[in-house]
Amino acid sequence: MDAIVLGGGLMGTASAFFLARRGIRVTLIERGRIGAGATVASFGNIRRSGRHLAQLPLAARSLAIWNQAETLLGRDVEFRPTGHLRLIFDIDSLNDMRAYAEAARAQGLSLEELAPAELRTRFPGLGPDAIAASFSPRDGSANPRLISPAFADAAARAGASVVEEAPVSDIRTTNAGFEVDTAKGTFRAATLLNCAGAWGRAVAARFGEDVPLETWGPQMAVTEPLPHRIAPVVGVWSRAHGPYLRQVERGNVVFGGAVDRVRVDAEPGFASPDPARLPAQVAAVLKLVPALANVAVIRQWSGCEGYVADALPVMGASGTTPGLFHAFGFCGHGFQLGPGVGAAMAELIATGQCETPLEDFAITRFAA
């Protein structure tokens, strides 16, 4: 069997790696540079708490791979299972957390509920006004700049062909499968996997499958380096788009959330941050860590992410075209899922079935 994977972000590179490990001849095609799209704009959060319950089996599969990433890929991608702390500031959010924790327990996710005194003892200086928190000790973070190149290099060592800076101009079905015309030539394979991220909708539409997907860019920023004091990833239980942050080992604090995302056009395919929104974002972050009040913000950035209308990704086989598969539209929270997505899609393509339930993510849910 041979396969073409479209898209060189985390989903595409992980899929290429796991397909190659299964002995499938793989060509990975990326319109720009490997990992330079949504992946590199990511916060780097490896979070299970708060996910749609249907995603938790996939998240569990992915977490197991994150724990093996350095061995699998032959390099450190800075995965650190430092835990994920979510602060709670009101009773409604506390009730939401408790209901979610009860439902998630059946899917193997156990959240610790921290009362104010325990929160102050274990995580001093974080959320002084919080009335409670949840803590997921096995979650954490990794470096978005390292992970896609690491998977791509490992895929190449396993036999995959990696083609960068190759925008796609046409895709055709043939008696033997698919032909993909790119700036680097025409490629052919029996199987096509659409991991094109924000451009995944356009690829699916070529085969009569429309997905209600919009493209938005996150508003991200990072501070100057500081003494390392914040071990876990920190977020908020909130029905609004709350702030989140983490401190990297060098000492910089990366943060995002709390303000509206930026609209992205398909070309050039990435958003620019809006400096006018930074004060509101900083104010929200200071509620989590007041000690950051006099720290310098040294850089802002954005990117391009695909958001599906029902906030669930598109994963699985095409409903119209044999040999076509999709894995895109992860709605800004795909970083944790990426390795699991690659393993699941490789299993599905190679065997025709998948041990991880994917039915809720089928593209056929939009067929009507």
Side-chain angles (χ1 to χ4, degrees):
M1 181 188 291
D2 51 12
I4 292 171
V5 178
L6 295 180
L10 177 51
M11 308 303 171
T13 57
S15 296
F17 170 73
F18 285 108
L19 283 166
R21 277 170 57 94
R22 287 180 174 268
I24 294 172
R25 295 187 302 277
V26 184
T27 302
L28 173 65
I29 300 173
E30 163 55 35
R31 72 195 296 268
R33 300 293 292 178
I34 292 295
T39 302
V40 78
S42 168
F43 174 63
N45 197 1
I46 296 175
R47 165 188 65 84
R48 290 173 297 157
S49 65
R51 289 192 175 278
H52 193 290
L53 294 174
Q55 292 185 2
L56 287 179
L58 182 61
R61 182 173 189 167
S62 198
L63 184 61
I65 299 170
W66 278 112
N67 278 284
Q68 302 168 8
E70 187 168 354
T71 300
L72 276 175
L73 303 178
R75 68 176 75 171
D76 180 15
V77 293
E78 298 179 8
F79 168 64
R80 302 291 184 265
T82 54
H84 188 264
L85 181 73
R86 299 190 73 175
L87 301 168
I88 301 168
F89 293 95
D90 59 81
I91 292 297
D92 287 343
S93 297
L94 177 59
N95 291 334
D96 286 346
M97 185 279 289
R98 287 173 172 169
Y100 180 85
E102 179 65 27
R105 192 172 295 116
Q107 299 283 5
L109 173 60
S110 296
L111 297 180
E112 302 175 26
E113 180 179 331
L114 308 184
E118 187 175 8
L119 173 63
R120 313 288 179 255
T121 300
R122 292 177 61 178
F123 303 105
L126 300 184
D129 298 326
I131 64 170
S134 71
F135 186 59
S136 180
R138 295 179 57 218
D139 291 335
S141 64
N143 191 327
R145 295 180 175 273
L146 300 180
I147 188 63
S148 295
F151 264 119
D153 289 350
R157 293 195 301 272
S161 175
V162 179
V163 184
E164 295 182 273
E165 297 183 331
V168 173
S169 57
D170 194 21
I171 306 173
R172 298 178 297 276
T173 56
T174 69
N175 291 335
F178 300 87
E179 288 184 348
V180 180
D181 292 338
T182 79
K184 294 287 184 72
T186 298
F187 300 89
R188 299 171 180 84
T191 301
L192 179 66
L193 173 56
N194 171 19
C195 293
W199 296 269
R201 178 181 186 175
V203 175
R206 290 175 178 265
F207 300 95
E209 297 184 290
D210 191 27
V211 174
L213 177 144
E214 296 182 342
T215 50
W216 298 87
Q219 179 100 347
M220 306 297 300
V222 63
T223 74
E224 63 184 318
L226 307 164
H228 198 282
R229 297 288 186 271
I230 306 170
V233 178
V234 184
V236 178
W237 279 98
S238 172
R239 296 176 187 179
H241 182 41
Y244 45 83
L245 63 89
R246 65 185 180 96
Q247 188 173 24
V248 303
E249 291 172 351
R250 183 172 179 266
N252 308 76
V253 176
V254 182
F255 62 90
V259 295
D260 291 339
R261 300 175 180 92
V262 183
R263 260 295 198 186
V264 184
D265 294 325
E267 297 298 339
F270 58 87
S272 297
D274 181 0
R277 301 181 185 189
L278 184 60
Q281 194 171 40
V282 168
V285 167
L286 291 180
K287 190 174 181 181
L288 310 187
V289 190
L292 296 177
N294 296 314
V295 172
V297 175
I298 61 174
R299 186 167 69 90
Q300 290 182 272
W301 70 94
S302 188
C304 182
E305 298 170 333
Y307 287 80
V308 182
D310 62 4
L312 290 175
V314 175
M315 280 185 71
S318 165
T320 64
T321 309
L324 174 64
F325 297 83
H326 303 288
F328 69 93
F330 287 86
C331 306
H333 51 245
F335 188 77
Q336 193 278 349
L337 299 176
V341 170
M345 295 308 300
E347 180 189 4
L348 179 62
I349 289 169
T351 71
Q353 56 190 10
C354 184
E355 68 180 33
T356 304
L358 304 177
E359 293 79 11
D360 286 340
F361 315 138
I363 197 168
T364 51
R365 70 188 191 267
F366 304 115

